[in-house]
């Protein structure tokens, strides 16, 4: 697992310890045997159904991306317990293992990913990939880093997302466009679709607005302040939007 760290001397030490403690990655089907930290442990997130709903929305657009290492969940295990399950340990492709019935695998994060996966995936295809670390080599600082790290922490502005969606849509790369749409809430996706997939009596005005917005995609700086959900379609005023964009085009 790639852990994002700011390279102070302490961070570098922790990164080295984590590298030394990492054992391998495994594929596991028994998601009901996972154990997550209680909320009273610092850095542990409380369970939130809204977080699960947000992930389900992303899954609908881009799938749950279980083979993407950035989605893999860090766990700890004693090496002596793992070896009977995985005779040949290596950091290559994830190996499928079957947990003994009495086992609980301790995960440092991922409770919302797993809850969403169990709801979204077919029962016959329910599995996830986990990065295993040797319990005996993890310090408290290492555990905190694994618990609190966010490998997908970089956030994009609404304008960057808008431009990226249109870039891929115009190239006919539907899957890539959906991945970018998945970064938005359902409300923002709905607002976007009102511009580029308009319906109803205002569809001509919205299509015109969409064309004018597309004409500005080549000017990245214009999109920095763009916020989906606070723009003119939300106010049901596409004709005003067209007027404003026309003024910008002529400036």
């Amino acid at each position: 697992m790639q852990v994002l760290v700011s390279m102070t001397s302490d961070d570098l030490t922790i990164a080295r310890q984590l590298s030394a403690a990492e054992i391998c990655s495994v594929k596991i089907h028994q998601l009901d045997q996972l154990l997550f930290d209680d909320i009273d442990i610092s850095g542990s997130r409380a369970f939130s159904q809204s977080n699960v709903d947000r992930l389900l929305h992303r899954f609908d657009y881009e799938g749950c991306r279980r083979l993407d290492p950035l989605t893999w969940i860090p766990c700890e295990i004693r090496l002596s317990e793992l070896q009977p399950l995985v005779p040949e340990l290596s950091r290559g492709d994830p190996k499928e293992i079957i947990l003994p019935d009495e086992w609980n695998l301790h995960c440092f994060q991922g409770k919302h990913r797993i809850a969403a996966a169990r709801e979204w995936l077919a029962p016959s295809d329910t599995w996830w990939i986990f990065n295993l670390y040797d319990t005996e080599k993890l310090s408290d600082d290492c555990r905190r880093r694994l618990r609190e790290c966010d490998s997908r922490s970089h956030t994009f502005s609404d304008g960057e997302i808008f431009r990226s969606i249109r870039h891929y849509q115009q190239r006919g790369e539907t899957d890539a466009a959906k991945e970018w749409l998945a970064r938005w809430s359902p409300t923002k996706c709905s607002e976007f679709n009102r511009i580029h997939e308009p319906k109803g009596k205002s569809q001509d005005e919205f299509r015109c607005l969409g064309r004018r917005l597309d004409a500005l995609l080549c000017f990245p700086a214009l999109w920095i302040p763009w916020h989906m959900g606070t723009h003119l379609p939300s106010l049901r005023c596409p004709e005003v939007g067209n007027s404003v964009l026309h003024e910008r085009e002529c400036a």
Side-chain angles (χ1 to χ4, degrees):
M1 176 181 180
Q2 180 184 5
V3 178
L4 302 182
V5 292
S6 174
M7 286 302 170
T8 65
S9 58
D10 288 343
D11 287 333
L12 185 57
T13 297
I14 293 172
R16 288 170 174 164
Q17 291 173 346
L18 286 172
S19 180
E22 188 173 6
I23 304 172
C24 64
S25 300
V26 295
K27 174 181 177 180
I28 295 175
H29 289 266
Q30 301 110 300
L31 303 186
D32 57 339
Q33 293 182 225
L34 304 177
L35 182 66
F36 298 96
D37 288 328
D38 292 331
I39 187 57
D40 57 348
I41 296 178
S42 178
S44 178
R45 303 180 66 183
F47 183 82
S48 167
Q49 184 58 45
S50 63
N51 244 338
V52 175
D53 293 340
R54 176 183 60 83
L55 287 172
L56 289 171
H57 166 69
R58 292 195 64 155
F59 290 177
D60 286 340
Y61 274 95
E62 64 176 4
C64 54
R65 306 190 67 154
R66 291 174 290 178
L67 296 180
D68 182 350
L70 293 180
T71 71
W72 298 355
I73 296 172
C75 307
E76 65 176 326
I77 190 172
R78 293 187 182 279
L79 188 59
S80 59
E81 295 176 335
L82 178 64
Q83 285 176 326
L85 305 179
V86 188
E88 297 182 7
L89 298 174
S90 69
R91 296 189 185 182
D93 293 339
K95 304 169 180 63
E96 184 170 339
I97 66 171
I98 299 176
L99 297 177
D101 291 339
E102 67 277 8
W103 274 30
N104 291 116
L105 185 63
H106 176 224
C107 303
F108 291 104
Q109 54 175 275
K111 64 182 70 174
H112 295 98
R113 269 169 280 177
I114 296 303
R118 295 181 69 178
E119 184 173 340
W120 193 80
L121 293 167
S124 60
D125 190 41
T126 303
W127 54 267
W128 207 268
I129 294 179
F130 301 84
N131 285 316
L132 303 184
Y133 291 83
D134 186 349
T135 296
E136 297 179 358
K137 294 183 179 180
L138 290 177
S139 65
D140 289 341
D141 285 337
C142 286
R143 290 186 174 89
R144 180 179 62 81
R145 179 60 50 79
L146 292 173
R147 187 176 296 115
E148 298 177 4
C149 72
D150 183 1
S151 297
R152 304 187 74 175
S153 60
H154 180 69
T155 56
F156 292 87
S157 70
D158 283 348
E160 290 174 310
I161 295 173
F162 191 104
R163 291 183 69 245
S164 296
I165 295 169
R166 289 303 294 152
H167 168 77
Y168 287 113
Q169 285 183 338
Q170 290 171 348
R171 291 166 60 97
E173 299 181 30
T174 305
D175 290 342
K178 287 182 177 180
E179 289 178 12
W180 280 95
L181 269 168
R183 296 174 185 267
W184 272 337
S185 67
T187 299
K188 291 184 177 182
C189 289
S190 177
E191 290 294 317
F192 177 87
N193 289 333
R194 290 179 66 193
I195 298 173
H196 290 288
E197 296 181 13
K199 299 177 181 179
K201 62 181 180 180
S202 298
Q203 58 183 304
D204 290 339
E205 288 88 348
F206 279 117
R207 285 197 182 96
C208 183
L209 176 60
R211 288 194 296 270
R212 291 185 180 277
L213 288 170
D214 283 348
L216 298 176
L217 294 175
C218 58
F219 302 106
L222 294 178
W223 293 87
I224 294 174
W226 178 268
H227 294 289
M228 291 298 292
T230 60
H231 49 70
L232 295 170
S234 297
L235 303 176
R236 295 185 174 86
C237 299
E239 66 280 2
V240 178
N242 285 316
S243 176
V244 171
L245 291 173
H246 178 69
E247 291 177 1
R248 291 190 179 185
E249 290 168 355
C250 296

